[in-house]
Amino acid sequence: MVTYDVYSTIVIGAGQAGLSAAYHLAKRGVDFLVLDANSGPGGAWQNRWDSLTLGAAHHIHPLPDFPLQVQDSTRPASAVVKEYYGEYERRCNLPVKHGSTVSTVRQVDGHFEVHADQVYTARTIINATGTWTNPFWPVYPGHFDGLQVHTNGFVAPSQFAGKRVLVVGAGASATQFIVQLREAGIDTLWSTRSAPDWRDSVGTEWGLEVERQVNERTRAGLPPKSVVGTTGLLLNAKMRAGIASGALISRGKIARLESDAVVFTDGSREQIDAILWATGFRHAHRHLRELKLHTAAGGIVMAEDGVSAAAMPGMFLVGYGASASTLGATRAGRKAALAASKYLAGLSVDAT
């Protein structure tokens, strides 16, 4: 016999967006549970490589009512964020169940059925699963026999010691990998599908325009573009030095792969020993497939508020589209909690 635990809201994912939503649900007295696939606190950050630190290039926005006083750049970001999120869960007494991977969400008789370590039911869902578990591996003609690693499998430059490495991707991770590998004495080549979009500086107006562009796509049911496709690459001293040295000059698009080489569309061929695919991620929504939320274009149609699934009342998505950054995720968590609370209040009124 299957047992069901019943909640007003189930939050799926305990990263920045999920914890923000949980805080605001608790503040409003909503009975809820957070289900998280990771074995402990830290969200996707806990799985990132040790050389990734918080500083000029990476930082996290504070969670509600709990500022992160020192974003220690001398320690791995994975450790700093794991401690920060863990303390937040404890301090706010949030009901987070780690090690509970959600496999399927169904809609049954006006409520949601959530299949994880057991079956749960909820009147609303706040999905905050992010992208880390769904890396994008592009396909090119040919076959390469050497080492291939995606961003989420990167550990340290030592993985590539003594190898000539092709780094593929036009985002910040690709450029940072190249800088790290070069500093470790590892020879690299860089491939991007189009010319890198370097930008000298950004400001408030730029941020608003980025958000507008992302929201425009999600309201139309189009999948969000890659981060770099919207923001471009920010120039700093290290990036300028990399460009000057030739390390950060793209060789262009891959035409085909060979067992031990890459051929670019300009016809040039280079021998390589490894490929580091810094090609980004897609949103981890496989567990939502039975809800049939996705359009033919591959996106989910979002309402004007940016967190409500337009086609399914009671379903909210955070960390999707414009709320993918930690700042956006924190704001979206609050917005989704408020929207879920309002929806639940409406159900209560209808019931009377």
Side-chain angles (χ1 to χ4, degrees), residues 114-179:
V114 181
H115 293 251
D117 57 301
Q118 64 175 67
V119 180
Y120 303 87
T121 63
R123 291 188 288 172
T124 60
I125 299 289
I126 296 178
N127 190 79
T129 46
T131 63
W132 185 255
T133 59
N134 192 21
F136 173 63
W137 295 79
V139 176
Y140 290 99
H143 179 75
F144 177 67
D145 291 331
L147 173 67
Q148 298 188 59
V149 176
H150 197 277
T151 297
N152 69 351
F154 181 84
V155 177
S158 58
Q159 283 174 281
F160 303 94
K163 300 183 184 297
R164 193 176 195 215
V165 183
L166 173 67
V167 179
V168 184
S173 293
T175 60
Q176 291 160 22
F177 285 145
I178 290 168
V179 169

Side-chain angles (χ1 to χ4, degrees), residues 36-299:
D36 185 64
N38 292 293
S39 59
W45 285 91
Q46 66 190 282
N47 303 311
R48 295 182 181 175
W49 52 98
D50 286 349
S51 59
L52 180 68
T53 59
L54 299 175
H58 297 278
H59 66 279
I60 61 169
H61 190 76
L63 286 161
D65 289 341
F66 188 39
L68 180 55
Q69 300 292 355
V70 179
Q71 300 202 17
D72 191 346
S73 62
T74 66
R75 299 176 62 213
S78 56
V80 175
V81 179
K82 183 179 177 69
E83 291 171 7
Y84 177 57
Y85 283 6
E87 179 59 27
Y88 193 74
E89 290 179 17
R90 290 186 292 274
R91 180 175 295 212
C92 299
N93 196 29
L94 299 177
V96 181
K97 192 169 189 179
H98 290 291
S100 183
T101 301
V102 175
S103 60
T104 305
V105 179
R106 299 189 178 112
Q107 199 171 36
V108 181
D109 298 330
H111 66 266
F112 294 98
E113 192 176 85
V114 181
H115 293 251
D117 57 301
Q118 64 175 67
V119 180
Y120 303 87
T121 63
R123 291 188 288 172
T124 60
I125 299 289
I126 296 178
N127 190 79
T129 46
T131 63
W132 185 255
T133 59
N134 192 21
F136 173 63
W137 295 79
V139 176
Y140 290 99
H143 179 75
F144 177 67
D145 291 331
L147 173 67
Q148 298 188 59
V149 176
H150 197 277
T151 297
N152 69 351
F154 181 84
V155 177
S158 58
Q159 283 174 281
F160 303 94
K163 300 183 184 297
R164 193 176 195 215
V165 183
L166 173 67
V167 179
V168 184
S173 293
T175 60
Q176 291 160 22
F177 285 145
I178 290 168
V179 169
Q180 282 189 65
L181 292 169
R182 286 291 183 113
E183 288 176 345
I186 296 167
D187 189 16
T188 63
L189 298 167
W190 188 24
S191 171
T192 61
R193 289 182 298 179
S194 56
D197 181 14
W198 295 105
R199 303 188 187 185
D200 284 309
S201 61
V202 298
T204 303
E205 293 300 319
W206 169 85
L208 293 173
E209 176 58 18
V210 167
E211 188 170 336
R212 185 197 66 76
Q213 289 179 31
V214 175
N215 285 333
E216 190 175 78
R217 289 183 64 85
T218 55
R219 282 197 293 268
L222 298 171
K225 292 169 68 176
S226 66
V227 174
V228 73
T230 306
T231 65
L233 287 166
L234 185 61
L235 278 168
N236 58 29
K238 276 196 172 184
M239 298 300 113
R240 291 181 191 279
I243 294 170
S245 72
L248 292 179
I249 301 297
S250 173
R251 295 291 297 272
K253 189 177 178 180
I254 296 169
R256 70 178 185 275
L257 297 172
E258 297 180 354
S259 62
D260 61 349
V262 56
V263 179
F264 297 102
T265 52
D266 65 3
S268 61
R269 180 183 183 275
E270 298 281 356
Q271 282 200 292
I272 54 172
D273 304 299
I275 302 176
L276 177 50
W277 298 99
T279 46
F281 299 80
R282 300 295 183 262
H283 287 277
H285 289 163
R286 186 171 176 78
H287 57 291
L288 303 179
R289 64 193 180 281
E290 291 193 24
L291 299 177
K292 301 188 185 305
L293 292 169
H294 290 82
T295 66

